[in-house]
Amino acid sequence: MSIESIPADEIDATFNSTCIDLISAPLGSKILAFSDEWFAPASNLINPTPPVQRPGVYIETGAWYDGWETRRHNPHPNDWVIIKLGPSAGWVKGVEIDTAFFKGNHAEAIAVQGCFENGPRADEAVLQVDQKWGILLPRKELEGNKRHGWDVDEDYSPLITHVRLLLYPDGGIARFRLWGIAKPTDLSVQGNEVELSSALNGGLAIAASDEHYGVRSNLLLPGRGKDMSDGWETKRSREKGHEDWVIVKLGLRGRLSKIVVDTHSFLGNYPKAVRVDAKDGYFEGEQDGSEGKWDNLLAEQELGPGKEHVFKDIGSDEIRPYTHVRMTIIPDGGVKRLRVFGSVYELLT
């Protein structure tokens, strides 16, 4: 197994355009069990926001920490936490451990394991003592108050549904990110309308003109979110004719039938209008959608505040499939969700 360490300042560039965090709480990830959480709860591990510090704030068990922290003097070799992925399954490409603000009480080392279990009782099965776990990341030493990243061997990227983080011997870490590609295993594609762009189905927001107030990946999350913090928002433009854009690589290549642009939570800062184009980069093997001709699916349409705008009359060929979608907002502003629906295209053999 080939494992490469990634410098802290290169983690975002390494994973943000090619992967999602498979255990991010907004995707539906869940903490199923843990050995201990005396000082700080394990649920903090899957919080998508960066960790924060509150100096001088104390709770019943001690100083407040934004992370997972276990008690001292663990009689066992390690502490552990078991997490269910948000997508039904995923391929792991990288691991990130952040020990932000843990100084002197951080874990000395970690290891990461994974398994595949589906079915109605899968969560119960992974909690059994005889559950078999495969190694995703062997034991790695940690430093306090630092982001750590590792690129998992591409030749060894098993499909998993659950992950187990081992913490040696005890202590705290702030965040755990499991970077990878979602693989829908419970999707019935025959004749059904599917959300092709959803992060749960492998969709990726691979590029954007601007992410000043909110990151592009938020556009593909399930649900309508909680506030402006989990949408995509660009800075104010001052130039005449300015436009912002985002490119989405669909998780499933398909024939498109409907586009939803949701401005929920954006009441005074929504875009004036939107335009949507698409292309099929399948045979060119395109990943970033940077080359070739785009087909216009949705001519410029006005948008309103805090509303789901559903566009069914789109200029999509009923036969031609697409792999990429480009949404252009005019001139700038915030969008909560972009949902692209259609039927999954299957090549004839």
Side-chain angles (χ1 to χ4, degrees):
M1 179 185 296
S2 174
I3 303 290
E4 294 186 9
S5 178
I6 302 172
D9 59 357
E10 297 179 12
I11 294 174
D12 292 338
T14 300
F15 297 119
N16 277 358
S17 294
T18 58
C19 299
I20 64 170
D21 179 9
L22 296 168
I23 54 172
S24 179
L27 289 179
S29 177
K30 295 180 180 179
I31 304 293
L32 298 183
F34 49 81
S35 58
D36 184 81
E37 56 173 5
W38 179 261
F39 290 109
S43 58
N44 286 332
L45 289 171
I46 58 177
N47 185 339
T49 63
V52 298
Q53 187 180 30
R54 294 179 181 174
V57 175
Y58 281 77
I59 57 177
E60 183 178 352
T61 55
W64 182 91
Y65 274 91
D66 187 8
W68 172 45
E69 186 180 3
T70 65
R71 73 188 80 196
R72 297 189 186 212
H73 314 307
N74 186 5
H76 305 288
N78 58 268
D79 280 312
W80 53 268
V81 59
I82 295 175
I83 305 172
K84 179 182 181 179
L85 271 59
S88 55
W91 285 290
V92 177
K93 300 297 182 182
V95 172
E96 178 185 344
I97 297 291
D98 191 350
T99 57
F101 310 118
F102 284 92
K103 308 172 190 178
N105 57 344
H106 64 280
E108 292 183 356
I110 56 91
V112 181
Q113 303 171 332
C115 70
F116 184 92
E117 286 286 347
N118 60 3
R121 303 179 69 88
D123 292 348
E124 296 178 25
V126 300
L127 302 182
Q128 304 305 309
V129 294
D130 59 350
Q131 174 66 41
K132 294 182 179 179
W133 295 88
I135 298 174
L136 299 176
L137 182 72
R139 179 170 171 153
K140 296 293 181 181
E141 303 299 312
L142 299 179
E143 297 179 36
N145 197 34
K146 180 182 177 181
R147 289 180 74 187
H148 306 72
W150 298 273
D151 195 356
V152 176
D153 190 348
E154 291 220 3
D155 294 330
Y156 180 75
S157 181
L159 188 66
I160 67 167
T161 56
H162 298 76
V163 63
R164 182 166 67 176
L165 173 66
L166 306 180
L167 183 151
Y168 297 94
D170 49 46
I173 61 175
R175 296 290 187 269
F176 174 29
R177 313 284 189 215
L178 193 69
W179 296 106
I181 299 173
K183 169 65 175 177
T185 60
D186 54 359
L187 189 66
S188 176
V189 301
Q190 294 293 339
N192 291 336
E193 188 176 61
V194 176
E195 189 178 346
L196 305 170
S197 58
S198 171
L200 295 176
N201 291 331
L204 289 170
I206 58 177
S209 59
D210 184 89
E211 297 176 282
H212 191 77
Y213 294 110
V215 296
R216 62 187 186 268
S217 58
N218 286 339
L219 288 167
L220 310 183
L221 294 175
R224 301 188 74 193
K226 59 178 182 176
D227 53 36
M228 286 190 293
S229 68
D230 57 6
W232 172 57
E233 185 181 1
T234 66
K235 60 179 172 287
R236 293 182 186 233
S237 60
R238 305 301 185 187
E239 298 180 6
K240 186 177 180 179
H242 179 85
E243 297 178 342
D244 281 314
W245 52 265
V246 61
I247 295 176
V248 172
K249 182 177 182 291
L250 301 177
L252 300 160
R253 184 179 182 229
R255 302 185 180 102
L256 310 188
S257 59
K258 180 174 67 177
I259 295 172
V260 177
V261 179
D262 190 357
T263 57
H264 180 58
S265 301
F266 292 96
L267 304 180
N269 50 352
Y270 60 93
K272 287 184 177 180
V274 66
R275 183 175 67 249
V276 180
D277 305 291
K279 65 175 298 183
D280 183 19
Y282 181 80
F283 292 105
E284 293 77 19
E286 287 191 29
Q287 296 298 315
D288 61 4
S290 60
E291 300 178 0
K293 179 179 178 295
W294 291 86
D295 296 334
N296 181 248
L297 299 184
L298 186 67
E300 188 172 318
Q301 301 287 326
E302 290 187 3
L303 296 179
K307 177 184 176 182
E308 276 190 309
H309 303 77
V310 180
F311 303 104
K312 294 183 178 180
D313 186 17
I314 60 177
S316 175
D317 190 310
E318 293 183 356
I319 298 177
R320 183 177 180 183
Y322 292 100
T323 58
H324 293 74
V325 167
R326 181 179 63 196
M327 178 177 70
T328 302
I329 57 173
I330 305 161
D332 53 44
V335 175
K336 195 57 167 290
R337 299 289 184 264
L338 170 64
R339 308 195 191 284
V340 180
F341 293 85
S343 59
V344 176
Y345 183 80
E346 296 180 344
L347 289 174
L348 297 177
T349 57

